[in-house]
């Protein structure tokens, strides 16, 4: 009994300290950071730029992507500081941007339109990448057949449509791209197109693409119902393909995607994640049945303590816990329990605590691009807090309980650290605050723009800008970079990509987190 009392005391003190955090930033500051976090995506655009492009140092690029393969793959996003369009992280980025709008769009105020624009720039590309052509995939469809000029209505339960799904999952040869340092407007490296198909499956990237399209269909359901319907129908087709032809794209495409975005967690987590988003978008019970039937073999029984472009298990459990909290559906109690375990692992003083934090209080999981885990974790903390608050729930950590307010305080600590409330007094969002990184590992940002230097800068000549000691000439406003090490140390070094490279999947969940805190000052 004595040890239990001690644990409770420790937990109370820990949570009290979190709620007494200094208010380093106002809702106006969070709104400013939110605007910048969305603006960043304009710096990552591929394709012809619109007239309202705000980051003017960027120009048109990748205008013939897919042409040599007789497909239109113009558009989409470059994932990070290079010029390759990687399908898995791009799709995850769109899923998380969409989830951010779904949960916290009401707090975005005037920024929600720009957030939707960022999503649509990605979904327009994903719709092109997921194509249906006559072929070999068979889908059973129940339809009603009506004979003209007759009252004879017949129903067929086995009308078979034949089509093949091919998902274009990458544009650009990363091995060749990484041998060059050139702005996307000049790139002359091979723009190879890589795909997954029934013969070369990629359930991970296909199911994530389905998740992105399904989540986005929710975002556009009211504002553009026809576009939403198109997104959802494509999502259904792609998910069916991902499930029917199971396999990892890492096996199919090998050195083209590994080690860059190798699917280390396998493809089962994406199938469960994809099915969960299909259920959210359709409310079709067949997806619930799928989750119930397949969950045990796709990670629902295992605790997992990270959430990223590769591993979707923690995010899936938080998403599915909503069904249990809202509907008390006993089938989904397991997901609530595992979500609790995930949350408990993050909260100091609980029996399940196992996370590592820097001396300055930043969650630390990896030496490379650590802030991607911080932003995804922060998003899940706030989303789970929202679900708990809406349904009177708490987190159960052994004999202790943790409230939604405590999760919000924990998330605020991480957000504030990124924005500059840290030992280095450095904002890790470019363009936010008085001091932020100026030597970002990013080709377009570090090489003079075509406006400043209209002449071509070749592959090899660009390296002078990689190694230059001067700040980047083009400010990639809103970019959240890899971040400091386990001791809160950060080297503002362009060549130190582990710490200085931005990525779309770092920013995407941060959009939702910033929206939450921006809305706190407006009553949302």
């Amino acid at each position: 009994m004595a040890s239990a009392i001690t644990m409770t005391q420790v937990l109370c003190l820990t949570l009290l300290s979190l709620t007494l955090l200094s208010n380093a930033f106002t809702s106006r500051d969070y709104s400013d950071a939110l605007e910048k976090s969305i603006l960043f995506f304009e710096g990552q655009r591929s394709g012809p730029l619109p007239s309202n492009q705000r980051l003017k140092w960027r120009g048109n690029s990748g205008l013939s992507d897919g042409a040599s393969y007789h497909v239109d793959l113009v558009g989409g996003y470059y994932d990070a500081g290079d010029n390759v369009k990687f399908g898995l992280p791009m799709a995850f980025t769109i899923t998380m941007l969409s989830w951010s709008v779904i949960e916290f769009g009401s707090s975005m105020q005037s920024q929600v339109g720009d957030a939707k624009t960022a999503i649509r720039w990605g979904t327009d590309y994903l719709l092109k990448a997921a194509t249906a052509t006559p072929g070999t995939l068979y889908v059973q469809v129940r339809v009603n057949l009506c004979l003209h000029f007759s009252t004879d209505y017949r129903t067929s339960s086995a009308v078979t449509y034949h089509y093949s799904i091919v998902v274009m999952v990458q544009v650009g040869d990363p091995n060749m791209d990484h041998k060059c340092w050139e702005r996307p407007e000049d790139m002359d490296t091979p723009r190879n197109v890589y795909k997954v198909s029934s013969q070369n499956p990629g359930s991970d990237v296909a199911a994530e693409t389905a998740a992105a399209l399904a989540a986005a269909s929710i975002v556009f359901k009211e504002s553009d119902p026809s576009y939403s319907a198109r997104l959802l129908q494509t999502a259904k087709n792609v998910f069916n393909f991902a499930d029917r032809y199971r396999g990892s794209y890492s096996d199919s495409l090998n050195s083209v995607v590994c080690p860059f975005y190798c699917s280390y967690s396998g493809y089962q987590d994406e199938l469960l994640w994809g099915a969960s988003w299909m259920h959210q978008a359709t409310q079709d019970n067949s997806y619930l049945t799928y989750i119930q039937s397949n969950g045990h073999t796709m990670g629902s029984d295992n605790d997992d303590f990270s959430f990223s472009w590769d591993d979707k298990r923690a995010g899936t459990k938080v998403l599915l816990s909503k069904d249990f909290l809202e509907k008390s559906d006993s089938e989904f109690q397991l997901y609530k329990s595992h979500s609790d375990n995930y949350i408990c692992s993050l909260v100091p003083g609980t029996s399940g605590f196992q996370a590592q934090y820097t001396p300055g209080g930043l969650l630390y999981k990896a030496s490379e691009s650590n802030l991607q885990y911080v932003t995804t974790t922060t998003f899940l903390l706030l989303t789970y807090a929202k679900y708990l608050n809406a349904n009177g729930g708490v987190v159960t950590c052994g004999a202790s309980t943790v409230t939604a307010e405590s999760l919000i305080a924990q998330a605020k600590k991480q957000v504030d650290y990124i924005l500059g409330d840290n030992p280095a007094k450095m904002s890790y969002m470019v363009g936010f605050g008085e001091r932020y990184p100026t030597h970002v590992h990013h080709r377009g940002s570090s090489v003079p723009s075509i406006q400043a230097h209209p002449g071509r800068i070749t592959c090899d000549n660009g390296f002078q800008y990689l190694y230059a000691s001067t700040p980047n000439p083009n400010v990639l406003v809103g970019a959240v970079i890899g971040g400091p090490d386990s001791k809160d140390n950060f080297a503002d070094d362009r060549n130190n990509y582990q710490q200085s490279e931005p990525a779309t999947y770092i920013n995407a969940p941060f959009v939702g987190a910033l929206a939450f805190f921006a809305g706190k000052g407006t009553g949302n």
Side-chain angles (χ1 to χ4, degrees), residues 132-184:
T133 57
T136 57
L137 178 60
Y138 299 85
V139 179
Q140 299 292 345
V141 183
R142 179 182 293 273
V143 299
N144 289 321
L145 299 179
C146 172
L147 299 182
H148 290 291
F149 310 110
S150 171
T151 56
D152 181 12
Y153 291 84
R154 295 178 294 175
T155 300
S156 170
S157 60
V159 174
T160 303
Y161 292 98
H162 303 242
Y163 63 89
S164 174
I165 295 293
V166 176
V167 182
M168 311 295 181
V169 299
Q170 188 167 307
V171 178
D173 182 335
N175 295 289
M176 296 300 293
D177 180 89
H178 288 183
K179 293 178 181 178
C180 285
W181 193 265
E182 58 187 352
R183 58 196 181 192

Side-chain angles (χ1 to χ4, degrees), residues 63-144:
L63 299 182
S64 60
D65 281 355
S68 60
Y69 296 81
H70 307 293
V71 292
D72 175 9
L73 291 175
V74 175
Y77 289 111
Y78 305 115
D79 71 297
D82 52 27
N83 299 326
V84 182
K85 296 192 294 200
F86 291 99
L88 184 55
M90 192 195 304
F92 178 69
T93 292
I94 301 308
T95 307
M96 293 309 298
L97 274 176
S98 297
W99 200 2
S100 292
V101 172
I102 290 167
E103 301 297 350
F104 305 115
S106 61
S107 298
M108 292 181 182
Q109 300 178 69
S110 62
Q111 299 303 318
V112 71
D114 289 332
K116 288 184 176 182
T117 297
I119 293 168
R120 190 160 187 154
W121 192 274
T123 51
D124 281 352
Y125 173 83
L126 293 178
L127 286 171
K128 296 178 183 181
T131 60
T133 57
T136 57
L137 178 60
Y138 299 85
V139 179
Q140 299 292 345
V141 183
R142 179 182 293 273
V143 299
N144 289 321

Side-chain angles (χ1 to χ4, degrees), residues 88 203-205 208 247-251 258 261-271 273 297-299 302 304 306-314 316:
L88 184 55
S203 299
D204 28 34
V205 66
E208 182 61 67
S248 173
Y249 91 140
S250 298
D251 295 329
C258 295
Y261 289 103
C262 201
S263 183
Y264 297 103
S265 69
Y267 62 82
Q268 290 86 356
D269 57 310
E270 273 86 12
L271 284 175
W273 169 250
T297 61
M298 293 180 177
N302 306 319
D304 188 72
S306 69
F307 179 45
S308 69
W309 58 264
D310 178 38
D311 193 340
K312 315 298 159 52
R313 287 172 289 185
T316 301

Side-chain angles (χ1 to χ4, degrees), residues 180-202:
C180 285
W181 193 265
E182 58 187 352
R183 58 196 181 192
E185 293 82 3
D186 281 342
M187 62 183 172
D188 54 1
T189 51
R191 300 301 287 172
N192 298 352
V193 173
Y194 303 94
K195 65 183 180 181
V196 295
S197 63
S198 57
Q199 291 77 29
N200 296 288

Side-chain angles (χ1 to χ4, degrees), residues 32 38 49 64 132 169 209 217 227 267 272 295 313 320 356 427 458:
D32 180 39
I38 299 170
L49 302 184
S64 60
V169 299
T209 300
S217 77
Y227 187 67
Y267 62 82
L272 192 60
R313 287 172 289 185
L320 291 178
Q356 178 184 349
S427 165
T458 65

